[in-house]
Amino acid sequence: MANSVPFRQLFIDGEWREPVRKNRIPVINPATEEIVGDIPAATAEDIDIAVKAARRALKRDGGKEWASASGAHRANYLRAIAAKVTEKKDKFAKLEAIDCGKPLDEAAWDMDDVAGCFEYNADLAEALDAKQNAPVNLPMDTFKCHIIREPIGVVGLITPWNYPLLMATWKVASALAAGCAAVLKPSELASVTCLELGEVCREVGLPPGILNIVTGLGPEAGAPLAAHPDVDKIAFTGSSATGSKIMTAAAQNVKPVTLELGGKSPIVVFDDVDIDKAVEWALFGCFWTNGQICSATSRLILHESIAKEFLDKLVKWAKNIKISDPLEEGCRLGPVVSAGQYEKVLKFVETAKREGATVLFGGKRPQHLTKGFYMEPAIITDVTTSMQIWRDEVFGPVLCVKTFSTEQEAIELANDTHYGLGSAVISNDLERCDRVAKAFEAGIVWVNCSQPCFSQAPWGGKKRSGFGRELGEWGLDNYLSVKQVTRYISNEPWGWYTPPSKL
């Protein structure tokens, strides 16, 4: 079959294992709507097997094989994984494009980031050794205190379909660097490259059970993982609605969670900008990854004095975006991931029109593409703050626009959302950029750009966009438990109680 995906089973305890119930889920190429393979469908029984394998792996040889090994030891494996991903970059990028519809150039960029993230976390793992037994200054000289950083244990990692391998890597690399054992449950809509990561682990000799990869539906595989009593922590990236369910499940066992959820991020453009540069960032911030980004700056807040010129150029630039099969050279906008997502995005556009907004451009199938879940990027104006298109996350190539007259009005419009993940401000006045950046209610602020992301910098949100941070040193901290060790060093008795009389 042309452009088929490899046949894989579940990756548990270092081996490929058929699901207990033997069920599988078809893989549909969103560019052609054709079935190009299938993935195993795990259920609660498989999750239990994977969690037990992870628990055994942590305890094996008293933990010396992984959990209590040096960070430098673990770093060797992370670097080996990075090298294998780089070696297989072209293959993995093509599989990613076929699986989720991402333009091939973007998928290749993602693979570079995957390798870079494993490399960076290898550095963090090595640096962790120097931080062990760090002293704590105490106000009493009769005591000494130091800190031990330990892996939190077995972690459940539930990841989305828009950056299938990269989002998984954000969690996997940090968890492994910290010394945890992990059970990864990728989205059933795009699991192919995550399963290939299992083969990479086999090739580099990662100890069995340290990383287990179980694919399947959310209710059948994700929910049992979140609720499993032997999982010490859950890290989830996805919708706010599912994040709430995961919090509820984790609360039953009082386990920590890290949540990176939805977004409806603003991009504020002032009147002192180079309009063409700002237009490109506005487009990139919303239409990159086919508009399927939790941090998409999908609310354009535009100074009224430049609005007409800006929108005219925005439409001209949008018309010039190449919409095609992701594998075609120069593709800059591919299909959304699935039929269900396609219908959802089209419904958002129709609702906006019904509520009185104007579709300035796009929002429908391109004429030259009769198959696949393709949509022209939509630019929607005449938006009010009560409209669904302003308030709800679309997760597709849809940009809505409002104008402002004052800096304070722009800030109020930007913060008029339940979400708080990303935000952007574009202006040549850097003092104003600083003011606006401080005023944004978001975990990430971009100045004169939108969407850059680096393994070294923290990533996460506020409000309904979740809590906790991934990437950077903060990502590693997610998977570490801090233990205080305090020792009494005086030769004198403590002397709090009166001693019994000597006979």
Side-chain angles (χ1 to χ4, degrees), residues 317-435:
W317 276 71
K319 287 179 177 177
N320 202 42
I321 294 173
K322 181 173 180 178
I323 309 171
S324 70
D325 187 296
L327 300 180
E328 193 173 310
E329 187 175 352
C331 174
R332 287 297 176 265
L333 190 73
V336 297
V337 72
S338 67
Q341 188 66 17
Y342 187 55
E343 294 302 321
K344 177 184 170 186
V345 176
L346 290 174
K347 187 176 179 182
F348 264 102
V349 176
E350 289 305 312
T351 299
K353 286 196 287 189
R354 192 171 64 248
E355 291 181 345
T358 299
V359 179
L360 196 62
F361 174 73
K364 61 184 186 298
R365 174 181 287 279
Q367 290 184 354
H368 67 288
L369 293 166
T370 57
K371 280 189 177 181
F373 309 126
Y374 293 97
M375 182 178 131
E376 289 178 337
I379 299 168
I380 300 180
T381 58
D382 300 319
V383 173
T384 67
T385 58
S386 62
M387 289 181 180
Q388 182 196 48
I389 201 68
W390 178 265
R391 307 219 66 83
D392 293 349
E393 182 178 42
V394 177
F395 228 67
V398 179
L399 179 66
C400 63
V401 187
K402 272 193 72 62
T403 60
F404 71 93
S405 58
T406 68
E407 181 178 313
Q408 187 56 39
E409 183 187 3
I411 290 167
E412 289 172 2
L413 285 169
N415 290 335
D416 179 31
T417 173
H418 295 303
Y419 296 107
L421 184 55
S423 56
V425 54
I426 300 185
S427 170
N428 287 328
D429 183 342
L430 294 184
E431 288 186 2
R432 175 162 57 195
C433 289
D434 285 342
R435 289 193 304 271

Side-chain angles (χ1 to χ4, degrees), residues 249-313:
Q252 308 311 306
N253 294 302
V254 198
K255 73 179 65 171
V257 295
T258 300
L259 300 177
E260 200 264 78
L261 307 177
K264 191 71 179 176
S265 301
I267 179 167
V268 175
V269 181
F270 285 91
D271 56 349
D272 60 348
V273 299
D274 178 316
I275 289 182
D276 281 306
K277 287 181 182 178
V279 162
E280 185 174 15
W281 280 117
L283 292 173
F284 185 82
C286 188
F287 301 151
W288 165 252
T289 309
N290 305 337
Q292 299 168 133
I293 329 172
C294 49
S295 59
T297 42
S298 57
R299 290 185 300 134
L300 172 58
I301 300 169
L302 191 56
H303 195 278
E304 61 188 14
S305 69
I306 61 169
K308 185 180 186 310
E309 182 183 359
F310 196 99
L311 290 172
D312 286 346
K313 289 192 172 185

Side-chain angles (χ1 to χ4, degrees), residues 129-186:
D129 291 338
K131 294 179 180 178
Q132 292 292 20
N133 303 316
V136 176
N137 291 326
L138 302 176
M140 297 177 68
D141 59 10
T142 51
F143 294 91
K144 279 191 174 180
C145 179
H146 67 270
I147 298 299
I148 300 174
R149 290 173 169 84
E150 299 176 328
I152 205 165
V154 173
V155 295
L157 313 175
I158 303 175
T159 56
W161 45 258
N162 55 336
Y163 290 83
L165 186 55
L166 183 56
M167 289 282 136
T169 295
W170 283 15
K171 293 173 172 55
V172 168
S174 296
L176 268 54
C180 295
V183 179
L184 169 64
K185 207 300 279 185

Side-chain angles (χ1 to χ4, degrees), residues 85-245:
V85 170
T86 299
E87 177 187 315
K88 298 171 183 280
K89 172 184 169 179
D90 291 346
K91 173 188 174 184
F92 281 13
K94 184 177 179 183
L95 288 174
E96 201 82 293
I98 291 168
D99 197 20
C100 73
K102 183 180 295 246
L104 184 60
D105 288 344
E106 289 187 26
W109 196 348
D110 285 358
M111 295 310 126
D112 290 337
D113 285 350
V114 167
C117 191
F118 275 110
E119 284 282 357
Y120 174 71
N121 276 277
D123 293 342
L124 291 183
E126 288 178 334
L128 189 59
D129 291 338
K131 294 179 180 178
Q132 292 292 20
N133 303 316
V136 176
N137 291 326
L138 302 176
M140 297 177 68
D141 59 10
T142 51
F143 294 91
K144 279 191 174 180
C145 179
H146 67 270
I147 298 299
I148 300 174
R149 290 173 169 84
E150 299 176 328
I152 205 165
V154 173
V155 295
L157 313 175
I158 303 175
T159 56
W161 45 258
N162 55 336
Y163 290 83
L165 186 55
L166 183 56
M167 289 282 136
T169 295
W170 283 15
K171 293 173 172 55
V172 168
S174 296
L176 268 54
C180 295
V183 179
L184 169 64
K185 207 300 279 185
S187 167
E188 64 273 16
L189 293 178
S191 295
V192 171
T193 50
C194 287
L195 287 170
E196 292 309 294
L197 181 61
E199 185 61 22
V200 167
C201 291
R202 276 171 54 92
E203 290 175 4
V204 304
L206 187 73
I210 293 301
L211 177 60
N212 307 275
I213 304 168
V214 288
T215 55
L217 301 174
E220 295 178 5
L225 180 59
H228 200 289
D230 253 357
V231 171
D232 300 301
K233 176 190 171 73
I234 292 289
F236 170 77
T237 297
S239 72
S240 298
T242 304
S244 178
K245 292 177 183 177

Side-chain angles (χ1 to χ4, degrees), residues 464-481:
R464 292 188 191 174
S465 289
F467 49 82
R469 294 295 180 267
E470 295 189 297
L471 301 180
E473 296 180 10
W474 302 266
L476 184 69
D477 288 344
N478 273 332
Y479 301 98
L480 290 171
S481 178

